[in-house]
Amino acid sequence: MNVPTTVEKPGSRELSYAEALREAMGLALERDDRVILMGEDIGVYGGAFQVTGDLVDRFGTDRVRDTPISELGGAGVAVGAALTGLRPIFEFQFSDFAMLAMEQIANQAAKLRYMLGGEASVPVVMRMPGGSGTGAAAQHSQSLEAWFGHVPGLKVVQPSTPEDAKGLLLAALEDPDPVIIFEHKMLYKMKGEVPEGWYTTPIGKAAIRREGTDVTIVASAIMVHRALAAADELAKDGISVEVIDLRSVRPIDRETIIASVKKTGKLVCVYEGVRTLGVGAEISAMIAESEAFDFLDAPIQRLGGAEAPIPYNPELEKAAVPQTPGIVDCVRKLVGGQV
Amino acid sequence: MPDNRHDPDNRPFAIRTFEADVLKDALRKMWLIRRFEEGAEDSYTRGLIHGTMHLSIGQEASAVGSCMALTDDDKITSTHRGHGHCIAKGAEVKYMFAEFFGKEEGYCHGRGGSMHIADVTKGNLGANGIVGGGLPIAVGAALASKQLGRNDVTICFFGDGANNEGAFHEALNIAAVWKLPVIFVCENNKYGMSTSTERSTAVKNIAERAVAYAMPGRTVDGNDFNAVTEAVGAAVARARSGEGPSLIENLTYRWRGHSKSDRNRYRTKDEIESWVAQDPIERFRKLLVDHDIIDAAEADTIRAAAEAEVAAGIEFAKAGTDPKISDVTRYVHAEAKA
Ligand SMILES: Cc1ncc(C[n+]2csc(CCOP(=O)(O)OP(=O)(O)O)c2C)c(N)n1
Ligand SMILES: [Mg+2]
């Protein structure tokens, strides 16, 4: 794996994705008094997914603040606090509930700097657990990256590894503008090497997780792991797949993707959000508009979420988002000239 | 509120208001809720069903008592903790279990699961995965009733946590301004997940918030079937006669954790036990026995029947049909008529 990071790694050890996020927040709370955490049940409960965990024991209830169940109000308070000197990290219990706070996110946080002619800054971080796979059905399983990615003024990132979870969260915190971090619920328990200390993963930079020459797969969050599994499978047939981990939906890393497609001549976009008008549509259009277009030797393929809410039944739930066999299939057909 | 001070019959409201058969059926429903949830919990533990669920064990008097004044034409909106409301409004447990097992026979054909369970034919407009999601919807149902000249009313169930959502405040205001036939029933079980009402809510009693929306507000012992039927019954009568909305707060308690992710760190064992001692089903059973509506043996028979119904429901669900994978996008839009 080729994982570019900005800073040196003093040392590293294995942590889960959730632990890596917690470590990042702990470091931030230690280093900067302006940092506060806000959200529902993030204190004594430890967060619905145990991401904040025991931070309340270390930093107290003023800095790890349970809010009432008031997403619009809570997010708005975080925006106002960010505008006036704090560095809030706001946890939505599920990304789905951010819809209740859309006004504050899209009309206020995203636009304040612009509306005030650059005289104001909203350095707020919003953490959003997203994705399906937990059997929690339609209102607790969505992948809303594209919704937020559509709003100028926001930055939207999607870590796929524990290392990036920490690095992107710290990068978000250092950023002077609002950053939304989509954490995939099914990755919270995933383990990986995580550098110690403070480091940032650059926002807007994709990572090449596997180099290849025949096909480029651009995937994000949990789809990166499915794409890598598919690449292993396809390697057995002699198909060489390059897997790009998007990491950042807004801004998108044009250079990395364009360079890869110029090399392979084939592109498959794999993402969990609903296929239509999703992240893959943007990437496809970007390639079609770029100099990589001339290098394409097959149609671009998009594998995305079904045109349906996420169903409860476990088999339907699986069928509603891309899975490894579907990715393998798609690449085989593409390479075999069947599309 | 009806004035009963001069009523020669000074038996409790529920006893003098409802026929014996109706009261027995209420007891049956309360047991059905308890056993249904125990059965669901057990099925979950054994890996037969997935996802998560929110159990209302300990809150049965609120669900059943509140629905006593309703007919099948009346509506309810429910919450994530909605199994009790669903059964109180007349759902059959076998179709509920089928839903939990993700089967086509389920109320939502396996698409919804515990959190979205609904029996629309019985006026249950659905459980909701979004805290506060049902509040404006209930007001809309009440508007439809009024506008179309119907006589049905809507009970809107929600938790103490939901009363801090903007939707609560907007919904109550609209209902009051338009004088709509809706009854807001807050099931105050002291916590929204881990956060107590003391830590989340500026007023002591949520019913006090009614003042801000110019409607009557009452706080009652939500584990006392009689008190619930009386308070909600009066509010239903008020709504039906065109006088507008009310806010009733049923003080109750969930015995189980919030959901499957709860480690119960925010409350004490003593507190839980003090509420278990206030078992709403046992209190109602005793009320019925004390007033000679049933004897102990008949109560046992009713409970055994509820148990049998739940056991049969689980078997029904196990034998259900799995949805076809190719139907993953079915029900997103209306189907073209054949
Ligand atoms: C908009 C929204 N925010 C948060 C949640 C997560 N959540 C589900 S239930 C719950 C607690 C609700 O408390 P309350 O309204 O008191 O109902 P109770 O669970 O006590 O029955 C929370 C925070 C949610 N489902 N929807
Ligand atoms: Mg509650």
Side-chain angles (χ1 to χ4, degrees):
Chain A
M1 277 216 288
N2 162 14
V3 186
T5 41
T6 44
V7 290
E8 291 190 328
K9 304 176 189 174
S12 69
R13 69 260 106 98
E14 209 171 65
L15 290 183
S16 74
Y17 187 96
E19 286 163 347
L21 289 162
R22 189 181 317 138
E23 182 167 277
M25 289 188 278
L27 284 173
L29 285 160
E30 255 166 31
R31 180 162 118 161
D32 187 345
D33 284 344
R34 297 172 305 167
V35 173
I36 60 164
L37 312 187
M38 286 172 60
E40 291 162 16
D41 307 286
I42 64 168
V44 61
Y45 200 93
F49 297 100
Q50 295 301 315
V51 178
T52 48
D54 61 359
L55 288 176
V56 70
D57 300 333
R58 289 174 55 202
F59 298 99
T61 51
D62 281 349
R63 299 193 66 206
V64 181
R65 258 178 204 268
D66 276 336
T67 68
I69 310 174
S70 306
E71 289 77 14
L72 175 66
V77 170
V79 170
L83 195 61
T84 52
L86 290 179
R87 308 289 295 213
I89 303 177
F90 188 85
E91 172 177 309
F92 283 94
Q93 203 161 71
F94 285 75
S95 60
D96 313 64
F97 310 156
M99 290 188 192
L100 283 80
M102 262 328 199
E103 200 283 305
Q104 284 295 326
I105 301 171
N107 281 332
Q108 311 298 340
K111 296 181 174 57
L112 269 161
R113 173 185 295 279
Y114 188 84
M115 293 189 302
L116 303 189
E119 298 295 329
S121 176
V122 186
V124 66
V125 179
M126 297 192 173
R127 297 185 32 241
M128 302 203 188
S132 64
T134 62
Q139 295 171 331
H140 288 72
S141 305
Q142 296 170 88
S143 298
L144 299 172
E145 305 78 44
W147 285 49
F148 295 91
H150 195 64
V151 183
L154 299 180
K155 292 176 182 162
V156 181
V157 298
Q158 274 188 288
S160 73
T161 66
E163 173 172 353
D164 280 357
K166 179 176 167 186
L168 284 169
L169 184 55
L170 291 178
L173 201 67
E174 287 184 356
D175 201 283
D177 290 311
V179 180
I180 312 259
I181 170 162
F182 277 95
E183 304 165 3
H184 200 290
K185 281 168 266 175
M186 300 304 282
L187 293 176
Y188 277 136
K189 296 212 167 89
M190 180 203 159
K191 300 247 178 187
E193 285 295 310
V194 177
E196 284 167 358
W198 189 286
Y199 67 93
T200 57
T201 303
I203 295 173
K205 192 90 194 77
I208 297 170
R209 298 298 186 195
R210 178 189 177 114
E211 289 187 17
T213 50
D214 296 333
V215 182
T216 298
I217 297 183
V218 178
S220 57
I222 200 164
M223 293 303 158
V224 173
H225 302 285
R226 294 190 189 152
L228 287 169
D232 281 345
E233 186 70 27
L234 290 157
K236 293 179 200 155
D237 301 350
I239 301 172
S240 165
V241 178
E242 179 143 305
V243 177
I244 296 180
D245 177 354
L246 190 60
R247 294 205 292 198
S248 171
V249 169
R250 186 181 193 94
I252 281 186
D253 181 354
R254 292 169 49 87
E255 290 69 36
T256 303
I257 300 170
I258 288 171
S260 176
V261 174
K262 280 165 77 175
K263 176 171 72 174
T264 63
K266 294 187 186 62
L267 172 63
V268 180
C269 304
V270 187
Y271 51 108
E272 190 166 344
V274 172
R275 181 172 178 272
T276 300
L277 293 166
V279 171
E282 183 55 38
I283 295 169
S284 309
M286 183 185 87
I287 291 300
E289 288 170 343
S290 78
E291 76 261 27
F293 179 72
D294 281 338
F295 293 78
L296 284 175
D297 53 28
I300 297 170
Q301 297 297 298
R302 284 180 293 154
L303 295 176
E307 307 297 321
I310 298 294
Y312 166 72
N313 175 285
E315 295 309 315
L316 289 185
E317 184 182 20
K318 272 185 220 133
V321 300
Q323 303 292 343
T324 302
I327 303 172
V328 170
D329 221 45
C330 173
V331 172
R332 273 212 187 104
K333 284 197 184 117
L334 193 62
V335 172
Q338 292 163 39
V339 284
Chain B
M1 277 305 305
D3 185 351
N4 295 319
R5 274 170 300 177
H6 308 295
D7 196 327
D9 183 350
N10 56 13
R11 291 178 302 163
F13 173 85
I15 303 294
R16 64 172 192 269
T17 306
F18 300 107
E19 301 289 340
D21 280 355
V22 176
L23 291 169
K24 288 177 197 173
D25 192 54
L27 182 65
R28 182 187 73 86
K29 280 182 173 162
M30 283 165 76
W31 263 322
L32 209 49
I33 295 170
R34 176 79 50 96
R35 294 289 177 253
F36 173 84
E37 293 203 322
E38 287 168 352
E41 189 175 38
D42 182 58
S43 303
Y44 181 90
T45 310
R46 289 203 266 140
L48 295 171
I49 49 185
H50 81 151
T52 189
M53 63 179 73
H54 307 85
L55 302 176
S56 66
I57 291 174
Q59 304 187 175
E60 296 88 348
S62 171
V64 178
S66 295
C67 291
M68 287 299 282
L70 301 186
T71 70
D72 280 359
D73 290 334
D74 294 319
K75 315 284 185 287
I76 65 167
T77 61
S78 175
T79 70
H80 57 285
R81 205 172 300 289
H83 312 145
H85 309 143
C86 198
I87 291 171
K89 198 69 178 62
E92 283 190 59
V93 295
K94 64 178 185 178
Y95 301 120
M96 291 175 68
F97 273 121
E99 187 57 36
F100 275 54
F101 280 69
K103 305 294 186 183
E104 279 291 353
E105 290 80 357
Y107 276 117
C108 319
H109 307 294
R111 272 56 167 193
S114 157
M115 237 184 319
H116 307 305
I117 207 152
D119 177 7
V120 180
T121 61
K122 286 273 162 51
N124 178 357
L125 304 179
N128 209 306
I130 300 300
V131 170
L135 279 137
I137 295 174
V139 176
L143 172 66
S145 171
K146 183 169 174 169
Q147 198 94 348
L148 296 171
R150 294 192 314 235
N151 196 32
D152 54 279
V153 304
T154 301
I155 286 185
C156 172
F157 287 106
F158 60 100
D160 48 283
N163 101 99
N164 295 311
E165 291 281 17
F168 166 86
H169 297 272
E170 298 182 25
L172 265 72
N173 187 59
I174 295 171
V177 169
W178 293 346
K179 244 186 169 188
L180 298 176
V182 53
I183 303 92
F184 298 100
V185 175
C186 179
E187 302 191 296
N188 180 351
N189 58 10
K190 293 175 69 91
Y191 298 92
M193 272 180 88
S194 65
T195 309
S196 65
T197 49
E198 288 79 27
R199 294 173 60 225
S200 71
T201 304
V203 288
K204 182 161 183 299
N205 294 309
I206 289 163
E208 290 169 31
R209 291 195 158 161
V211 176
Y213 305 107
M215 67 177 77
R218 264 186 83 183
T219 302
V220 301
D221 176 351
N223 282 9
D224 176 354
F225 177 88
N226 181 61
V228 172
T229 52
E230 183 167 13
V232 179
V236 166
R238 186 182 134 85
R240 240 192 258 291
S241 64
E243 290 169 70
S246 308
L247 172 60
I248 309 292
E249 176 183 17
N250 293 337
L251 297 179
T252 183
Y253 199 79
R254 59 168 158 74
W255 296 4
R256 297 294 197 271
H258 165 72
S259 71
K260 292 294 158 196
S261 70
D262 193 344
R263 297 172 300 167
N264 265 323
R265 284 209 179 154
Y266 50 88
R267 55 181 192 173
T268 62
K269 228 175 148 222
D270 284 353
E271 181 182 287
I272 298 173
E273 277 163 13
S274 74
W275 281 91
V276 171
Q278 294 294 315
D279 182 353
I281 303 186
E282 180 48 29
R283 284 172 69 185
F284 183 46
R285 191 195 70 94
K286 190 166 175 310
L287 182 82
L288 295 186
V289 171
D290 287 352
H291 288 87
D292 296 325
I293 306 288
I294 52 171
D295 58 24
E298 191 178 1
D300 286 347
T301 311
I302 294 173
R303 174 167 54 190
E307 267 158 28
E309 190 173 338
V310 164
I314 292 176
E315 292 313 311
F316 173 81
K318 280 186 191 160
T321 327
D322 289 319
K324 286 204 293 272
I325 298 297
S326 57
D327 278 346
V328 68
T329 57
R330 196 172 169 199
Y331 307 122
V332 174
H333 296 291
E335 285 171 20
K337 298 232 161 58

